[in-house]
Amino acid sequence: MSGFVEKPEPVEVPGLQHLHTGKVRDLYRNERGELVMVASDRMSAYDWVLPTEIPEKGKILTQLSLWWFDLLADLVPNHVLSTELPAGAPADWEGRTLVCRSLRMVPVECVARGYLTGSGLAEYRDTRTVCGIALPEGLTDGSELPSPIFTPATKAAVGEHDENVAYEEVAHRIGAEPAAQLRQTTLAVYNRAREISRARGIILADTKFEFGYAEATLGVESAEPVLADEVLTPDSSRFWPADQWEPGRAQPSFDKQYVRDWLTSPASGWDRAGEQPPPPLPAEVVERTHAKYAEAYELLTGTSWK
C-alpha cells in the first residue's frame, strides 16, 4: 500500500478552481486560465505522503525555486507569472504560492546525474548502465561520473514509483527533435546549477526537471521548452556537503534523510513492506529536517532563512 495517510481537503477560494492535490503541491486555475500552484508543508517518503508536516517546507521550496529561476532565465524560460497572493486566499499561502502559465507538460521527468547513487546506482550494479548509457567499471556509491548524463523517468501518480526509461523511449513518446532539445536543455541547466552549487560548498549529485510547452506553440517543431514546477530544491535534487563527500558510502545530504532513516529504524515500529501506513514523525525528526531544508536555502542563496 501507499499514497496519502490522510489526504487533505482542498482549500476553497473564490475565483479558483481546484484541479489537483499532489504529494506536496495543490494546483488551482484562476478565472484568467492561469495556474495557481501552492506548495504545502507535506512530506513524502517511500511512496507515502506522511501524516506529519515539516513547518515552512513549502515556503522554503518556493523561495529557493524562485531564486534558481532568476539565475537560469538566460538558459531557459520558466512558467512563473507572479507571486501575488490571489484575492481571498488564506494568509498562510503567502510565500508559497506561484501564479503560472498553463503549459502542455512533457510526460517524462527530465533527470540529470553527475554522480552515481539511488536508482542509478542500483541499475549500474546490475548492468553497468543507467538508462541504457554505458558507464565505466569500478564506480561506487557517490562516484562522480565522467560527464553528466540525461536519465529520464516516467511520471508516477501519488503512491507509485517513477521509473527510469531509455532516451530512445522519450524520443518515441514525444518525437526525436523535442527529445534532443530536452536533453540538451536539461544538461545545460544542470551544469550551470552544479557550478553555482559547488562554489557554495554543495555538490549537486542529481536533479529532476519538469518542462512544458506554451499552448501557442502546439505543433511547432522548434518550440522552446519552458521550465515548470519546482527547480533545484532539496525535494527535487540531491545536495551533498562538498567537504564530506566520500565515494563508497551513502553521502550526507540536505533533504529528507532524517525522515527516511527514522521510518526504517526500529524506533518507528513501521514495516516498510507491510500494509500499514507510516506513523507520525517525532518532534526531533521534524526539527532536524526543517533545519536541513533551511540550511540548504541559506548556503545556496547566501541569505538567512529567517
Side-chain angles (χ1 to χ4, degrees):
M1 294 180 63
S2 56
F4 285 92
V5 175
E6 301 170 4
K7 187 170 184 178
E9 289 294 323
V11 176
E12 294 187 9
V13 178
L16 296 186
Q17 175 193 3
H18 176 259
L19 300 177
H20 178 67
T21 297
K23 291 179 181 179
V24 173
R25 287 166 181 79
D26 297 308
L27 194 62
Y28 297 80
R29 191 184 305 281
N30 65 22
E31 293 172 338
R32 294 187 297 274
E34 301 157 345
L35 297 182
V36 178
M37 193 167 64
V38 186
S40 74
D41 292 335
R42 294 191 290 271
M43 172 65 74
S44 65
Y46 300 121
D47 300 319
W48 283 97
V49 180
L50 305 179
T52 310
E53 296 186 340
I54 306 299
E56 299 188 314
K57 174 175 172 281
K59 293 184 179 182
I60 294 172
L61 298 182
T62 300
Q63 298 306 311
L64 187 55
S65 290
L66 287 168
W67 184 80
W68 280 113
F69 280 136
D70 284 345
L71 290 178
L72 301 169
D74 63 314
L75 288 180
V76 60
N78 63 72
H79 68 160
V80 178
L81 295 173
S82 168
T83 58
E84 185 177 347
L85 202 61
D92 184 60
W93 281 19
E94 185 70 48
R96 64 174 77 241
T97 301
L98 299 178
V99 180
C100 307
R101 283 192 278 173
S102 182
L103 304 172
R104 293 179 293 112
M105 298 303 295
V106 176
V108 293
E109 303 274 7
C110 293
V111 180
R113 300 176 190 270
Y115 293 76
L116 189 63
T117 193
S119 62
L121 175 64
E123 183 179 340
Y124 171 81
R125 285 172 170 167
D126 289 339
T127 65
R128 294 298 182 268
T129 66
V130 178
C131 291
I133 300 171
L135 295 175
E137 292 285 340
L139 301 182
T140 186
D141 193 355
S143 289
E144 184 174 6
L145 301 178
S147 61
I149 58 176
F150 177 64
T151 59
T154 58
K155 292 183 181 181
V158 175
E160 298 179 4
H161 282 294
D162 292 344
E163 291 188 6
N164 294 345
V165 295
Y167 172 76
E168 290 73 19
E169 172 65 19
V170 178
H172 175 72
R173 288 190 183 196
I174 68 173
E177 184 174 334
Q181 188 177 41
L182 286 173
R183 177 171 60 183
Q184 179 182 359
T185 303
T186 296
L187 292 175
V189 173
Y190 172 78
N191 285 328
R192 167 76 64 81
R194 182 168 73 161
E195 292 174 4
I196 292 171
S197 300
R198 193 58 187 261
R200 290 157 171 77
I202 292 179
I203 289 174
L204 175 58
D206 56 42
T207 191
K208 65 179 180 180
F209 303 117
E210 292 201 34
F211 292 97
Y213 292 93
E215 294 290 344
T217 63
L218 183 63
V220 178
E221 287 192 6
S222 59
E224 186 175 26
V226 178
L227 191 55
D229 198 51
E230 65 180 319
V231 60
L232 295 158
T233 72
D235 269 16
S236 66
S237 315
R238 284 188 175 92
F239 291 118
W240 298 337
D243 61 356
Q244 298 179 52
W245 175 54
E246 184 181 325
R249 61 171 174 83
Q251 310 300 314
S253 58
F254 296 97
D255 59 15
K256 60 184 78 172
Q257 197 58 49
Y258 285 126
V259 172
R260 296 191 191 101
D261 290 347
W262 183 79
L263 286 173
T264 54
S265 73
S268 75
W270 181 55
D271 179 7
R272 183 183 170 189
E275 296 187 356
Q276 294 301 311
L281 302 175
E284 179 188 7
V285 172
V286 171
E287 291 167 6
R288 294 175 76 182
T289 303
H290 173 273
K292 276 296 175 187
Y293 276 76
E295 184 182 7
Y297 174 89
E298 291 176 346
L299 287 173
L300 286 166
T301 67
T303 60
S304 170
W305 172 245
K306 293 299 182 183

